[in-house]
Amino acid sequence: MLQFKDPLKLRTKKIVFEDVYSAQDSGTLEQLKELSSKRVSVELINENNSITDAIAREMSGGLTSQCEQDIQKLELYLPLLENLVQHVDLIGDDPRIDNLRFELGTVLFFYGAQLREWASQVLDTDLVRSATLFRKAAGVYQYLAQEVLPSLQGVRTPEGPPEATSSVSSIMNLICLAEAQIVTIMKAEEKQTADGLLAKLHFGVVQLFNEAMDFYSTASKECKDISPVLMDYISCSKVVHELRSYKYMAQAIKTEGQIGTAMGLLKLALNKVERNIGGMESWRVVIKQEMDTIADLLRKYEHENEFVWHEKIPYDHHLPVPQGTKIATCIPYRPERWERTLALKI
């Protein structure tokens, strides 16, 4: 899997809730102060914290991973924030509701990014957990795109942050689903799953990245600040898994005795790769490795065909078309609200 880290920055101003919202009673004031305190903990995720690892572990109840500790801070803040959003929304005409929804949207986007980062961190040690975390992150982004951000459509501008647009959350949803499927494929490859199925699973990843490309086209029109590196990541990942799909497809067809068709598929796969592909050097290295693998396999098949089978290579339009299978699904994000009554002055 190609590696692409989100910036992981919370891009909203500091908030002191008890200064913004007037409480009618002491209980509500305490809840607003608690919300502000939890918000400060979230803000500190982006800063170089001076506390020791031992203190951080104790404060988090024994969590050893920095990423887990940060996720816990977000999971303590979000239910309180959801509760405030619900109460202010019930007031009706409060103009501050858009600011609150923007806060909720950016924090949820940050939460999804942290889950995705954690999934990447455990990839080498626990494939099942990694896939689960990618699916959980996908669910957060799906919830954002469908339930939170559409209400801000009328108030945002092209100069606003990309994470405040539904299309960007849809991109990240599809990326996380693709990454969850890649992890599932890694597990399947460990079990030596049949080449035909692996080909379909890899092409399912290609289809997910194709969908992400479509949303990127929309997002680039909606916001000026979207990173082109994100598109490079999608494009390079698509190339890697398209190459792998063709490789497994060729191997499956060769097993069926159709070496000419297998060679045609390998040639087609190499010809489909753009020569001046962008992206990070480490991504281009992976693509080059995949191309070298296919070229070696093609030479092997050509040598065998020359001495044994003497089959002709079909024209491209006579070759079988890759079929994709998408099996990764979101784990739905279900917002938790601490059902506390807030008495706010209108």
Side-chain angles (χ1 to χ4, degrees):
M1 183 189 298
L2 303 186
Q3 296 298 309
F4 172 67
K5 291 184 65 173
D6 293 314
L8 299 179
K9 294 291 183 182
L10 183 65
R11 300 202 292 183
T12 61
K13 297 178 181 178
K14 294 180 182 295
I15 303 173
V16 180
F17 287 96
E18 61 270 26
D19 291 347
V20 178
Y21 298 94
S22 300
Q24 290 185 346
D25 55 44
S26 59
T28 298
L29 179 60
E30 286 304 309
Q31 290 179 54
L32 291 173
K33 288 182 177 180
E34 183 182 1
L35 189 56
S36 296
S37 175
K38 293 288 190 293
R39 180 56 158 76
V40 170
S41 297
V42 170
E43 292 166 10
L44 291 175
I45 294 174
N46 287 332
E47 300 176 8
N48 293 324
N49 211 322
S50 60
I51 65 173
T52 65
D53 291 343
I55 294 174
R57 186 165 57 249
E58 184 176 347
M59 290 173 62
S60 65
L63 298 177
T64 56
S65 162
Q66 177 69 53
C67 205
E68 283 184 274
Q69 293 169 8
D70 293 341
I71 287 170
Q72 184 189 64
K73 293 173 184 176
L74 288 159
E75 289 178 342
L76 290 173
Y77 175 58
L78 278 166
L80 293 172
L81 180 60
E82 291 267 12
N83 190 47
L84 178 60
V85 171
Q86 185 180 43
H87 276 79
V88 174
D89 202 17
L90 288 173
I91 292 173
D93 295 328
D94 195 319
R96 295 170 296 186
I97 188 61
D98 287 335
N99 291 334
L100 261 186
R101 287 174 178 151
F102 178 76
E103 166 73 1
L104 177 60
T106 53
V107 172
L108 280 170
F109 196 95
F110 190 42
Y111 179 48
Q114 291 286 349
L115 288 170
R116 180 172 175 268
E117 172 66 15
W118 188 16
S120 298
Q121 288 183 8
V122 301
L123 180 60
D124 293 335
T125 57
D126 192 337
L127 291 176
V128 174
R129 191 180 196 188
S130 178
T132 299
L133 287 167
F134 278 126
R135 292 175 59 216
K136 190 174 180 181
V140 172
Y141 289 121
Q142 183 183 62
Y143 176 77
L144 258 176
Q146 296 180 357
E147 303 295 335
V148 178
L149 296 178
S151 63
L152 295 174
Q153 191 68 27
V155 297
R156 70 167 311 281
T157 64
E159 290 74 24
E163 57 266 34
T165 63
S166 296
S167 53
V168 173
S169 285
S170 294
I171 292 170
M172 294 309 301
N173 162 256
L174 289 161
I175 285 176
C176 289
L177 284 177
E179 291 168 334
Q181 179 142 329
I182 293 167
V183 178
T184 303
I185 293 170
M186 292 167 68
K187 192 71 175 175
E189 288 172 334
E190 284 184 355
K191 296 179 178 179
Q192 298 183 325
T193 300
D195 289 339
L197 177 56
L198 290 173
K200 290 180 179 180
L201 291 174
H202 275 292
F203 205 76
V205 172
V206 173
Q207 291 172 329
L208 287 166
F209 281 124
N210 276 334
E211 292 177 49
M213 283 181 168
D214 291 340
F215 277 107
Y216 186 94
S217 178
T218 301
S220 62
K221 298 171 185 174
E222 294 179 345
C223 48
K224 296 180 178 179
D225 198 26
I226 188 167
S227 171
V229 179
L230 181 60
M231 186 59 170
D232 287 341
Y233 171 72
I234 295 169
S235 300
C236 289
S237 296
K238 176 189 168 184
V239 169
V240 168
H241 293 280
E242 191 165 20
L243 287 169
R244 290 176 183 172
S245 177
Y246 272 97
K247 179 190 72 175
Y248 282 119
M249 190 176 175
Q251 290 177 171
I253 286 175
K254 162 67 165 54
T255 303
E256 296 171 358
Q258 301 178 55
I259 194 169
T261 300
M263 289 188 294
L265 287 169
L266 295 175
K267 283 178 175 288
L268 179 60
L270 292 173
N271 291 334
K272 286 172 71 71
V273 179
E274 294 180 17
R275 298 305 166 193
N276 298 315
I277 195 163
M280 296 172 59
E281 177 61 26
S282 61
W283 301 345
R284 294 197 296 271
V285 167
V286 174
I287 292 172
K288 176 66 165 53
Q289 290 170 345
E290 294 297 328
M291 293 179 69
D292 289 345
T293 298
I294 287 182
D296 289 343
L297 188 60
L298 176 59
R299 281 191 291 270
K300 177 184 174 183
Y301 286 0
E302 286 175 335
H303 184 267
E304 181 179 340
N305 188 55
E306 181 181 355
F307 285 95
V308 181
W309 306 110
H310 310 293
E311 286 192 16
K312 292 184 178 180
I313 298 176
Y315 291 110
D316 287 356
H317 60 275
H318 288 151
L319 293 171
V321 177
Q323 302 295 318
T325 300
K326 293 181 282 188
I327 61 172
T329 57
C330 297
I331 295 177
Y333 173 73
R334 309 208 182 278
E336 295 182 20
R337 296 186 182 92
W338 290 8
E339 300 297 338
R340 300 178 178 181
T341 300
L342 297 175
L344 302 170
K345 292 180 181 178
I346 301 175

